[in-house]
Amino acid sequence: MSDDTDRRLAAALAAEYERHRADAAAPGGPRARATVTRRRRQAAAAGIAGLVLVVAAGVGLARGSGTPDRLVPATPAVAPATTPPVTPTDTLSEIHAPACGDPAAKYRDRVRIDDVPATSGWTLTGPTARLGDLDRDGRDEYVAFLRCATSGETWLVALTNWNADLAFTGHAHPLGTPGPRGIGVEDDGVVRISSRYTDTLVRWTGDHFVPIG
Amino acid sequence: MTPAEQRFDEFYTDRFPALAAQIAVYLGDRAEAEDVAQEAFCRAWRHWSAISADPVPWVHTVAYRLATSRWRRLKVALAHRIRTRPQDVPPPDAARLDLMNALAGLPDAQRRAIVLHYLADLSVEQIAAREGVAAGTVKSWLHRGRARLATVLENEGAPK
């Protein structure tokens, strides 16, 4: 490899680097610090919840061991009241792209959206800075793009981390082909979807996204 | 704002664009690179009291580890996305795309060595220490990576 080719390679890589550096969108140091604070609170809350469960289970065992086992006949008086089952919306079932089939998204732990398997053709983007209280109920939701990489078809989806793990919730919002490039959550919970030239604002109702503005 | 918060924010502002750009060249995808860089800075803040004396090597190492992990999981999908989604203005020229495609086609270790050497200005010995391999291995990675990229550059310079 000649020195000239080496210089050209260095120049080409430097040009690519400068192009990315000039356009880099930094969420900001305060946002990074806030993310860490939020994760610490969530971890602490999970720890406390776990402790409460352990204590409750211990109390239950202690009580159970002190009473004789006996069968109680099932009568209408002691049978549990029937409550209508809550059927969560199967968000992923609403999504299908001919090029990628049905999505098979996964997530890794309570505080981080993981990507779908690379071989599936689906990607789930927006893990670190897209957490916010979208419906102002005091609980944070994640918002992310679910995209068929092959065709570019993109949906906006919401995930909750209210229970033990992240879960898709509500209805997916189709964003067309090709999908937008950026996503953000404003202080008031409004989701900003950035395309090449325009931004679109949507609000999460707790069940679906509604365009605003 | 505490002095530590202020110093972290200054460090973030000073270093985020360069780190995100390096990772973008490595991954070939700027949105993914920005996510990786942001996650690395989040982790840096979590360990700030321990690393604040010299945070640059720490955050760079974490960012490259995250990027490597992400690359392994996403390389198929990323290749599709790079081909299918709209590019930024100005439109990329064919030579640049050829070079970036060639870079994306390099084995992971070779590509990382190229980026660390040319963009992070790390010496062969520094890359070897970071990767936990012998210096000769890094030289081999760089040699092979350069040779494959040189083919693209020489074709570009050849008379049509």
Side-chain angles (χ1 to χ4, degrees):
Chain A
M1 184 174 180
S2 69
D3 287 346
D4 176 58
T5 305
D6 195 38
R7 275 195 296 274
R8 288 171 60 200
L9 174 58
L13 288 171
E16 184 71 6
Y17 166 82
E18 288 299 338
R19 191 179 73 85
H20 287 302
R21 197 168 76 94
D23 294 339
R31 179 71 69 89
R33 288 191 281 105
T35 300
V36 173
T37 303
R38 189 160 47 236
R39 288 176 181 177
R40 282 177 176 154
R41 285 179 184 156
Q42 288 168 342
I48 291 168
L51 187 63
V52 168
L53 277 177
V54 168
V55 170
V59 169
L61 284 173
R63 283 185 179 172
S65 64
T67 56
D69 294 333
R70 61 181 181 185
L71 292 175
V72 178
T75 64
V78 299
T82 55
T83 54
V86 178
T87 305
T89 307
D90 187 358
T91 310
L92 295 187
S93 71
E94 301 173 347
I95 300 175
H96 178 82
C100 292
D102 297 326
K106 295 195 301 190
Y107 31 85
R108 189 162 53 197
D109 55 50
R110 290 191 325 105
V111 294
R112 182 180 170 81
I113 299 170
D114 201 0
D115 300 289
V116 296
T119 51
S120 76
W122 290 94
T123 61
L124 186 64
T125 61
T128 52
R130 285 80 179 179
L131 178 66
D133 185 1
L134 303 184
D135 50 4
R136 319 311 294 161
D137 66 349
R139 297 184 295 188
D140 282 345
E141 289 85 18
Y142 280 92
V143 64
F145 291 146
L146 188 60
R147 175 176 286 142
C148 169
T150 310
S151 62
E153 290 167 273
T154 303
W155 285 261
L156 184 68
V157 294
L159 300 95
T160 67
N161 63 343
W162 305 332
N163 299 314
D165 214 330
L166 292 176
F168 288 94
T169 184
H171 296 281
H173 185 67
L175 294 171
T177 306
R181 299 180 58 246
I183 186 171
V185 179
E186 308 287 312
D187 289 340
D188 60 357
V190 169
V191 178
R192 179 179 294 276
I193 304 164
S194 305
S195 297
R196 191 172 175 182
Y197 298 114
T198 59
D199 284 359
T200 304
L201 301 178
V202 297
R203 186 177 286 285
W204 175 245
T205 66
D207 179 66
H208 60 280
F209 290 98
V210 179
I212 59 174
Chain B
M1 182 182 289
T2 67
E5 289 172 341
Q6 186 171 1
R7 179 139 191 276
F8 173 80
D9 287 358
E10 290 168 0
F11 166 66
Y12 181 104
T13 304
D14 186 42
R15 292 289 175 172
F16 184 95
L19 180 59
Q22 277 183 34
I23 301 297
V25 175
Y26 172 53
L27 287 179
D29 186 289
R30 193 165 65 227
E32 292 290 343
E34 286 167 0
D35 279 345
V36 164
Q38 180 72 1
E39 177 62 22
F41 277 94
C42 286
R43 295 186 185 190
W45 175 242
R46 203 166 65 204
H47 299 279
W48 189 247
S49 59
I51 66 168
S52 58
D54 186 16
V56 175
W58 193 95
V59 78
H60 275 235
T61 299
V62 169
Y64 273 95
R65 283 181 185 160
L66 290 169
T68 300
S69 171
R70 188 165 291 207
W71 169 263
R72 287 174 183 152
R73 287 183 283 117
L74 289 182
K75 58 185 171 184
V76 175
L78 281 175
H80 284 300
R81 288 171 57 185
I82 291 164
R83 281 199 293 273
T84 55
R85 77 174 180 206
Q87 300 291 319
D88 302 332
V89 272
D93 59 86
R96 182 192 145 246
L97 279 185
D98 287 345
L99 180 68
M100 289 306 109
N101 285 337
L103 187 65
L106 291 180
D108 190 33
Q110 291 178 24
R111 194 178 63 260
R112 195 161 58 250
I114 290 279
V115 172
L116 288 170
H117 184 68
Y118 283 99
L119 300 182
D121 290 330
L122 295 189
S123 67
V124 168
E125 289 72 23
Q126 288 171 317
I127 297 171
R130 171 177 281 195
E131 298 288 312
V133 298
T137 304
V138 174
K139 286 179 185 170
S140 170
W141 288 344
L142 286 171
H143 177 75
R144 291 178 188 171
R146 282 171 177 146
R148 287 181 63 173
L149 296 179
T151 306
V152 175
L153 288 171
E154 283 162 5
N155 287 343
E156 174 197 335
K160 306 289 182 192

